[in-house]
Amino acid sequence: MNKQGKIAALFLLPYLLIFTIFRFGPSMAGLFVGFMEWNIVGDAAFAGLDNFEKLFRDPMFYTSLKNTMLFLLMVLPPLVVFSLLLAVLLNQKLRYRNAVRTVSIIPYVLIPAVVGIIWNWLYDNNFGILNYYLKMIGIAPIEWLTNDKYALFSVAIVTVWSYMGYNMILYLAGLQDISKDLYEASTIDGANKFQTFMKITLPLLKPITSMIITLTLINAIQIFDQIFVMTNGGPGTATLTLVQYLYGTAFQNYNLGYGSTLGIAIVVILIVLVQIQSRLFKLDN
Amino acid sequence: MKFKRVSAVLASAALITTLFTACASNGNEQQGSAGGTASNSNAPIKIDYWGGWTGPDLETMKGLVDKFNAEQSGIHVEFTSMQWTPLFAKFLTEMKGGEPPDVLAMHPFEIGQFSEMGVLDNKQIEAAKLNKSDYSEFAWGGTFYKDTQYAVPLDVHMHGLYYNKALFEKAGLTAAPQTGEELIEMAQKLTVDSNGKHPNESGFDENNIVQYGLGFNMNHHIFYQAYALINQQGGNPFNESMNKLELDEEKTAKAFGFLQDLVFKYKVVPKGEKSPVDDFTTSKVAMIFDGPWQMPKLETSGLQWGSAPYPQVFDKKAAWGAAEVLTFPVNKKGSAEEKEAAIAFVKWLDGNSADWAKSGQLPSNNAGMESAKGLEGREAFIASLDNAVLLPAHPQSAQLFSSTAPSPILTAAQDAILNNKDPHEIAKQLMKDMNAILADQ
């Protein structure tokens, strides 16, 4: 290793140490615990594949998996499409553009628990502002969070609201990276605005779109805070997601072994989804 | 290729850690008075005291601990409080590491699980030499599991009814309801739409109700109410040693059905209500079912309110009740002095429980309870003591009676009160879900 390499390694060393002690080590331990029966206090007993067998016949796992996938389908398209449209809009020379950009990012900056509390007020069936306006225009109030048909969708709206600003900033950075020469050339060639968007903007934003989809996949599969604050997994199990189920299993029922098995399952699901996504979005240089 | 595999493993590891840290970090830890440690022979004996209070009662408990620390110099108590679920996860982790707290607060229904895990020390309870006659029977009964005492009673609480005196007067009502019929009748009088009509009048607009007669929490507390209503019909289906649940379908369906009717038939309760106490303090609902822990909030609300025992809907009186107790975790490293100090502190808390009554909780100690009688609103709850019913200290209570999904009681409660499902189907599903948990021992 040359001198420059040694210096680089020295800079990396503190992070690698922290990563190994606080991330990699516990993760490997988590994988190991997934094959054990353990309630934290007693001695862990090797359970072989029992936890995985239980996973495949656990109806609550399938309920939480179904809810998580539905949630992903609810948030992914709007978080890509609306963020892109917002970024394109805010990339134009508009009055108050900077103020609107700043306001758009505020929901992302708020702590998810605070977001959950705010939306709980807005969604209140009887005295919430949303139903107040619905009643004003003669529409029957909606049981946003307390009806099992709407609850997951209502949480999805909040997630889209929270993350759209962040995705918009990523798209905005991508848009500002596209050379103006390309747009000028297309104008000279007679392309209209829609054609320019479809043939220049969209293809050149492909890496950003790929990154946004990956981040949304991870965030959606790991959804926890907002559900915990807004519905606690209810009504019934209508908003019970994989991580919420993991939390209950590991930290309420103290079944660390099965909780870790659920964690492994979530990681496997994420790896599969990210793999599919990266194949679909195979980037060429 | 090799690099890709290594990356995949590292990414997986990072993801697992992220999941666990995201979950485990939930909870709002609050440290009480920090203080010196026993670094030399003259230093006070330091003991750790953990509880799950996060509301106004946290300040009351902090005040008590500070008072204890100020009154004497031999013992210093370090108090930590956070939400109950992360508290117990932290407790078990520290227990595994050999550093459990010296005193831990919990609820009676958790004693079964923790004593089965072998983490509670009943020898210290024996050393504390408690007298049964100093406590209410309800509180004393909540400290036992399989005939062994594992805890010192701290306080009790139960469901009761709060009513808005001004709205009662406006509706021409003079006293709180005592029966199911009275409750429905009064709640209808107190429910008003934007045209001033009541639910039992023609032309009542259920989409434009400006004031509801009654409110209650639409979470696991619905099950607690149903539990009381099952007991009101005679017989308690749950016990600490059950390995199969025999639920009387008819009684269970009648219990859930009564609560369901208040929302869907009589329309006197807001559908999907989120915060009954806030609706009550802002006069949007005229009565609420809730616990005594709400009293500090009501006392500062400026509202003219009264309280009454939970109504008798069926054959006999019964109200859901619970308690908070103090336990001594097993600590093999703990010295005899520390154990004695922990007992001394708990006995001091017991002797000063009249101050704890200010938090809204009712002291388990008879002397403390007498003092509580002098505080506004407590009398109605104290009157329910003889008919309050506890959930059992079953080893699987945390799962059977969990307040978060997936939970059999939450599913039953919300199927009844939010989804308006057939009460007989709810009863059958509840029994099926609970028996699935009981079979998985």
Side-chain angles (χ1 to χ4, degrees):
Chain A
M1 198 185 285
N2 59 21
K3 195 183 168 191
Q4 213 173 3
K6 281 179 187 166
I7 292 170
L10 206 64
F11 273 105
L12 278 172
L13 196 64
Y15 172 73
L16 286 174
L17 264 175
I18 291 168
F19 176 78
T20 308
I21 296 167
F22 295 107
R23 294 245 166 187
F24 186 69
S27 301
M28 289 303 105
L31 275 175
F32 183 66
V33 173
F35 293 88
M36 314 294 277
E37 198 185 323
W38 189 34
N39 70 358
I40 307 181
V41 173
D43 291 331
F46 184 65
L49 293 173
D50 286 3
N51 287 338
F52 292 90
E53 193 199 326
K54 184 181 172 184
L55 185 83
F56 286 110
R57 55 179 172 80
D58 179 2
M60 215 49 81
F61 169 67
Y62 290 109
T63 303
S64 56
L65 179 63
K66 184 192 84 183
N67 289 342
T68 309
M69 290 303 151
L70 275 175
F71 182 78
L72 174 64
L73 291 175
M74 286 173 190
V75 298
L76 186 59
L79 273 175
V80 174
V81 177
F82 294 157
S83 309
L84 175 61
L85 293 178
L86 191 64
V88 170
L89 184 74
L90 294 179
N91 200 35
Q92 312 297 314
K93 282 178 184 159
L94 298 170
R95 208 193 254 188
Y96 309 122
R97 185 175 66 170
N98 288 339
V100 177
R101 280 181 187 175
T102 310
V103 169
S104 305
I105 195 75
I106 289 174
Y108 179 74
V109 181
L110 291 173
I111 299 165
V114 174
V115 170
I117 292 167
I118 293 169
W119 278 86
N120 260 347
W121 291 338
L122 297 175
Y123 275 146
D124 190 282
N125 285 358
N126 307 287
F127 311 111
I129 200 156
L130 292 180
N131 278 349
Y132 172 79
Y133 285 119
L134 286 179
K135 281 191 239 174
M136 260 178 65
I137 55 171
I139 297 173
I142 296 171
E143 294 153 7
W144 297 97
L145 294 173
T146 56
N147 186 313
D148 53 3
K149 291 184 188 74
Y150 311 133
L152 195 65
F153 185 68
S154 303
V155 180
I157 290 174
V158 179
T159 304
V160 171
W161 177 81
S162 290
Y163 284 90
M164 202 163 68
Y166 176 68
N167 289 356
M168 181 271 289
I169 295 285
L170 293 177
Y171 269 130
L172 209 53
L175 283 169
Q176 287 170 5
D177 240 16
I178 300 173
S179 166
K180 286 199 171 61
D181 297 349
L182 292 169
Y183 290 112
E184 282 167 13
S186 70
T187 312
I188 292 164
D189 288 344
N192 61 29
K193 284 204 167 170
F194 181 72
Q195 284 170 323
T196 311
F197 178 76
M198 294 304 285
K199 300 285 181 188
I200 296 175
T201 310
L202 215 48
L204 289 175
L205 284 177
K206 205 172 160 186
I208 302 283
T209 306
S210 173
M211 185 175 76
I212 285 176
I213 291 175
T214 306
L215 290 175
T216 306
L217 273 173
I218 294 170
N219 289 333
I221 298 291
Q222 291 190 12
I223 183 76
F224 177 75
D225 319 50
Q226 282 164 9
I227 299 251
F228 190 78
V229 175
M230 295 175 77
T231 62
N232 224 341
T237 53
T239 58
L240 178 74
T241 56
L242 285 166
V243 180
Q244 173 91 13
Y245 186 38
L246 182 156
Y247 173 77
T249 305
F251 301 110
Q252 278 183 295
N253 301 334
Y254 315 118
N255 191 344
L256 261 286
Y258 189 52
S260 299
T261 309
L262 284 166
I264 294 167
I266 295 171
V267 172
V268 170
I269 291 164
L270 261 177
I271 290 171
V272 170
L273 288 175
V274 171
Q275 281 298 319
I276 294 171
Q277 185 269 337
S278 47
R279 298 239 162 147
L280 288 174
F281 260 78
K282 204 169 181 184
L283 302 173
D284 45 47
N285 291 323
Chain B
M1 197 63 195
K2 217 175 197 178
F3 176 73
K4 271 190 175 176
R5 258 187 236 143
V6 173
S7 309
V9 170
L10 287 173
S12 316
L15 285 168
I16 293 180
T17 312
T18 310
L19 289 169
F20 274 99
T21 47
C23 293
S25 65
N26 171 61
N28 182 19
E29 184 171 348
Q30 307 208 26
Q31 290 258 231
S33 54
T37 51
S39 56
N40 60 56
S41 57
N42 295 324
I45 298 165
K46 186 185 84 67
I47 60 166
D48 288 318
Y49 169 40
W50 293 3
W53 300 285
T54 51
D57 41 10
L58 170 65
E59 293 308 314
T60 314
M61 187 51 84
K62 264 185 185 172
L64 275 164
V65 172
D66 288 343
K67 190 178 168 188
F68 175 78
N69 285 336
E71 271 184 13
Q72 47 74 51
S73 55
I75 304 166
H76 185 87
V77 177
E78 286 206 359
F79 175 51
T80 300
S81 193
M82 65 182 83
Q83 286 172 0
W84 292 105
T85 301
L87 175 84
F88 293 137
K90 180 179 164 69
F91 160 58
L92 293 177
T93 312
E94 297 280 343
M95 174 60 80
K96 184 74 181 168
E99 299 287 341
D102 300 282
V103 180
L104 174 72
M106 63 175 69
H107 306 97
F109 77 90
E110 284 141 359
I111 292 177
Q113 182 173 29
F114 289 129
S115 62
E116 287 289 345
M117 285 181 176
V119 296
L120 300 183
D121 186 359
N122 68 311
K123 299 233 165 28
Q124 272 180 279
I125 300 290
E126 285 168 18
K129 294 188 172 63
L130 305 172
N131 290 319
K132 186 183 175 184
S133 57
D134 290 339
Y135 304 92
S136 64
E137 208 179 314
F138 176 78
W140 187 255
T143 59
F144 284 80
Y145 174 64
K146 290 186 177 170
D147 298 327
T148 303
Q149 192 169 23
Y150 286 96
V152 177
L154 175 66
D155 63 58
V156 295
H157 45 257
M158 60 286 291
H159 273 160
L161 182 133
Y162 293 105
Y163 60 96
N164 181 321
K165 286 182 178 172
L167 296 180
F168 260 55
E169 202 180 312
K170 201 174 152 192
L173 301 170
T174 51
Q178 292 183 23
T179 66
E181 288 86 11
E182 282 178 12
L183 177 74
I184 294 164
E185 194 186 322
M186 290 187 186
Q188 283 182 322
K189 273 189 185 169
L190 291 160
T191 303
V192 190
D193 74 4
S194 53
N195 300 313
K197 287 188 182 293
H198 303 285
N200 49 351
E201 292 174 350
S202 66
F204 174 74
D205 182 2
E206 65 174 292
N207 286 331
N208 281 300
I209 298 173
V210 292
Q211 179 189 300
Y212 283 90
L214 180 65
F216 43 70
N217 280 300
M218 307 228 155
N219 48 22
H220 53 289
H221 279 267
I222 291 293
F223 171 79
Y224 293 166
Q225 284 200 62
Y227 177 55
L229 295 172
I230 293 168
N231 276 274
Q232 286 194 3
Q233 297 169 72
N236 186 341
F238 308 111
N239 62 68
E240 65 178 29
S241 55
M242 63 183 175
N243 45 32
K244 191 170 187 293
L245 174 67
E246 292 295 342
L247 203 56
D248 186 319
E249 188 186 315
E250 196 55 39
K251 285 179 183 173
T252 310
K254 274 169 91 173
F256 280 111
F258 175 78
L259 298 168
Q260 238 174 345
D261 284 349
L262 292 171
V263 180
F264 298 101
K265 184 178 170 188
Y266 301 111
K267 302 179 195 307
V268 294
V269 175
K271 271 187 213 169
E273 188 172 34
K274 276 277 177 189
S275 180
V277 71
D278 291 328
D279 295 342
F280 182 70
T281 52
T282 50
S283 298
K284 288 169 184 163
V285 300
M287 300 183 279
I288 51 166
F289 288 137
D290 219 317
W293 55 83
Q294 297 294 3
M295 278 187 273
K297 185 166 189 169
L298 298 182
E299 281 160 1
T300 55
S301 67
L303 194 79
Q304 289 296 305
W305 57 276
S307 62
Y310 190 81
Q312 182 185 336
V313 177
F314 296 106
D315 311 330
K316 60 176 197 167
K317 286 183 178 174
W320 164 80
E324 283 169 335
V325 296
L326 300 171
T327 61
F328 301 103
V330 170
N331 187 355
K332 286 171 190 158
K333 288 185 198 164
S335 67
E337 288 78 22
E338 283 167 341
K339 290 185 181 187
E340 275 170 28
I343 293 170
F345 169 64
V346 166
K347 293 201 88 165
W348 182 91
L349 268 184
D350 192 35
N352 286 270
S353 59
D355 286 347
W356 181 230
K358 289 172 194 158
S359 69
Q361 308 285 10
L362 306 171
S364 297
N365 182 301
N366 289 334
M369 187 69 89
E370 274 307 309
S371 307
K373 280 180 185 170
L375 298 170
E376 188 189 4
R378 271 69 168 179
E379 191 71 49
F381 291 92
I382 295 168
S384 294
L385 252 186
D386 292 338
N387 50 58
V389 280
L390 273 172
L391 287 169
H394 191 278
Q396 287 169 296
S397 280
Q399 244 179 303
L400 291 168
F401 307 115
S402 169
S403 59
T404 56
S407 153
I409 66 163
L410 199 61
T411 301
Q414 296 186 329
D415 275 350
I417 220 73
L418 301 176
N419 301 332
N420 200 19
K421 286 193 180 159
D422 176 10
H424 284 274
E425 292 307 314
I426 292 169
K428 280 181 196 158
Q429 189 64 42
L430 178 64
M431 192 157 82
K432 190 180 159 198
D433 290 348
M434 285 200 162
N435 278 327
I437 292 171
L438 289 168
D440 194 25
Q441 288 193 60

